[in-house]
Amino acid sequence: MLRRLSLHIIYNICMLLVLPVGIMAQEPFVVVLDAGHGGHDPGTIGNKAKEKDINLGVVLKLGEMIEKNLSDVKVVYTRKGDYFKTLQERCDIANDAKGSLFISVHVNSVDRKNRRRSTIHGAATYTLGLHRSADNLAVAKRENAVMMLEDDYSERYCGFDPNSTESYIIFELNQNKHLDQSIEFAGKVQKELRTTASRADNGVRQAGFWVLAKTGMPAVLVELDFICNPASEAFMASESGRRKLATAIYNAVDDYKRAYDISTGKKVPEKKVSSKKQRRQETGAEEAPSVESATGGSPSVVSPGSASSVRTYRVQFMTSPRKVPKGSSKFRGIDEYVEYHEGSMWKYSSTDLADMRSARRRLAELRKKFPDAFIITIVDGQRVN
């Protein structure tokens, strides 16, 4: 009897050792909200507003929405007031909290000599990657330059020089296992900033940001709009503008969390015609567009929740404010593609791919020519988030 009991105890212990941690005890979903700059670091400055204040105002509203509506999500802030936190401290806070998602909120700007300074506008969401354009590098340099406000920054950041292009090679070597999830979430943020907050869509981009490289979780850095543009500044400085921006990011978090729950086997209640749709109606947001193939034909649209829905994937590799003509050199090496018009932009992707493995292979191929390419989900011919 004792021998059987001992064997039973040993068996149970062994099972505990081999079971995934997530099965033993479901880890809480933690969203880390990072309001860029603060304290003696104002960030970019407009005619009246400061970036640090806009960032904090949006983050506090966003955190309040998450805490109020997503009861199973824990919110952690890197700062909740007007004080300075180093880049590494922000990363440490996120990692110590075992974050599930890291969102760093910022405001964009361009040099005073730039002729488009007062007219440039639009939101962009960044994931970690090696810069592929001068614009992306410029944004990364500006955000990383905060470390130079620290006396011992060279030692703390292992000799990294935010103003040296050569320093950014370390981000090419960084193996970010959360890149796919980061890109997925960034796409949701961009769509919401366009539809809910009425910002021009400057796309999902990649660049070398310290706070993205040193956080061990899916992570994005959101540039809400350009403070150097008086109209954009006024919007971001207003109460209603900040609420719309916070609501846009909240909607993306809500969608991402639901997808996460489904992927981990958690039972997710059916989403009602919901607060999200009501909020979109209140803000005059538009519905998702239909998709047309470049080879002709418009697929029928079926609700993503219907029994006959078919899920596939595509790799979006290019956006353009104007329709790119067939035969353009931009499509060299691409035999088939899909194009559709969304908002003010034309978007181009691969044809349907049956599973995520195939999508990732196609993503690797297309990134050789289009470094900012990312995977999108298609249900019965229509893009969904």
Side-chain angles (χ1 to χ4, degrees):
M1 179 69 179
L2 288 174
R3 184 171 181 274
R4 288 180 61 188
L5 183 60
S6 298
L7 288 173
H8 181 70
I9 293 172
I10 293 171
Y11 172 80
N12 285 335
I13 292 173
C14 291
M15 287 303 294
L16 287 174
L17 292 175
V18 300
L19 281 173
V21 175
I23 294 177
M24 293 170 59
Q26 185 71 38
E27 291 288 336
F29 192 93
V30 180
V31 175
V32 181
L33 301 181
D34 175 45
H37 308 280
H40 62 276
D41 170 27
T44 58
I45 300 176
N47 292 329
K48 297 179 180 179
K50 296 178 181 178
E51 178 183 1
K52 66 175 183 176
D53 299 326
I54 294 171
N55 297 342
L56 184 61
V58 171
V59 158
L60 292 179
K61 283 179 169 55
L62 171 59
E64 181 183 0
M65 291 176 187
I66 295 173
E67 290 169 338
K68 180 179 179 181
N69 298 297
L70 303 178
S71 59
D72 58 342
V73 174
K74 178 182 178 181
V75 178
V76 172
Y77 301 86
T78 60
R79 70 177 179 100
K80 293 189 73 175
D82 185 16
Y83 47 84
F84 181 76
K85 285 286 184 181
T86 69
L87 295 183
Q88 190 56 51
E89 284 175 335
R90 296 166 191 268
C91 300
D92 292 341
I93 290 170
N95 292 329
D96 290 345
K98 298 181 179 179
S100 309
L101 184 63
F102 178 83
I103 307 170
S104 188
V105 176
H106 290 259
V107 169
N108 216 336
S109 188
V110 293
D111 188 87
R112 292 184 180 278
K113 297 178 182 179
N114 192 310
R115 294 180 179 179
R116 298 180 58 210
R117 181 175 170 81
S118 63
T119 58
I120 191 169
H121 63 286
T125 302
Y126 287 83
T127 63
L128 179 66
L130 186 65
H131 68 275
R132 303 293 181 180
S133 73
D135 288 344
N136 290 7
L137 176 61
V139 174
K141 281 184 174 181
R142 186 181 70 246
E143 302 298 359
N144 289 332
V146 173
M147 64 179 62
M148 298 178 71
L149 297 176
E150 304 170 49
D151 293 335
D152 58 346
Y153 88 88
S154 183
E155 181 179 346
R156 183 190 295 264
Y157 296 97
C158 306
F160 178 82
D161 180 357
N163 291 319
S164 169
T165 303
E166 288 73 21
S167 287
Y168 287 81
I169 193 66
I170 67 168
F171 297 122
E172 186 174 34
L173 303 176
N174 186 292
Q175 299 298 315
N176 187 349
K177 64 180 181 180
H178 302 292
L179 183 59
D180 286 347
Q181 298 100 312
S182 300
I183 291 174
E184 177 191 353
F185 178 66
K188 296 178 186 296
V189 172
Q190 277 305 113
K191 180 177 181 181
E192 289 293 340
L193 286 170
R194 177 180 63 78
T195 58
T196 300
S198 303
R199 301 299 88 194
D201 186 354
N202 289 344
V204 174
R205 303 184 178 191
Q206 289 183 290
F209 295 93
W210 189 271
V211 292
L212 301 186
K214 301 302 178 179
T215 47
M217 63 208 68
V220 301
L221 186 147
V222 184
E223 296 281 358
L224 299 171
D225 210 326
F226 286 82
I227 199 171
C228 53
N229 179 321
S232 298
E233 177 191 7
F235 176 82
M236 293 187 291
S238 69
E239 181 72 15
S240 62
R242 292 180 188 182
R243 182 161 297 280
K244 287 181 180 180
L245 291 164
T247 301
I249 302 175
Y250 166 79
N251 288 346
V253 172
D254 186 20
D255 278 351
Y256 181 86
K257 174 60 165 55
R258 290 179 65 82
Y260 172 87
D261 287 344
I262 293 171
S263 70
T264 56
K266 183 176 180 180
K267 187 175 181 180
V268 179
E270 184 177 349
K271 197 165 186 178
K272 300 176 182 176
V273 178
S274 87
S275 53
K276 178 177 175 182
K277 186 167 184 179
Q278 291 168 1
R279 282 193 297 270
R280 282 183 169 176
Q281 291 171 340
E282 291 169 2
T283 56
E286 52 197 270
E287 294 298 320
S290 61
V291 178
E292 282 190 30
S293 168
T295 56
S298 179
S300 59
V301 177
V302 179
S303 167
S306 69
S308 60
S309 293
V310 177
R311 180 181 296 266
T312 57
Y313 303 91
R314 296 175 187 166
V315 178
Q316 184 171 307
F317 58 85
M318 182 171 60
T319 62
S320 173
R322 296 180 180 83
K323 187 173 182 178
V324 181
K326 295 178 183 178
S328 168
S329 60
K330 293 181 179 180
F331 297 122
R332 186 172 299 157
I334 300 174
D335 296 329
E336 292 183 306
Y337 60 90
V338 171
E339 69 178 14
Y340 63 97
H341 194 251
E342 186 175 40
S344 60
M345 304 293 287
W346 284 92
K347 301 190 176 184
Y348 298 85
S349 68
S350 69
T351 52
D352 287 355
L353 300 158
D355 51 52
M356 184 58 74
R357 180 177 295 181
S358 301
R360 285 175 176 157
R361 282 200 298 266
R362 188 64 175 137
L363 177 66
E365 294 169 357
L366 284 169
R367 277 193 175 165
K368 294 175 183 178
K369 184 173 181 179
F370 303 97
D372 289 335
F374 59 96
I375 296 171
I376 60 176
T377 301
I378 303 296
V379 173
D380 295 318
Q382 186 177 34
R383 180 178 174 178
V384 297
N385 284 304

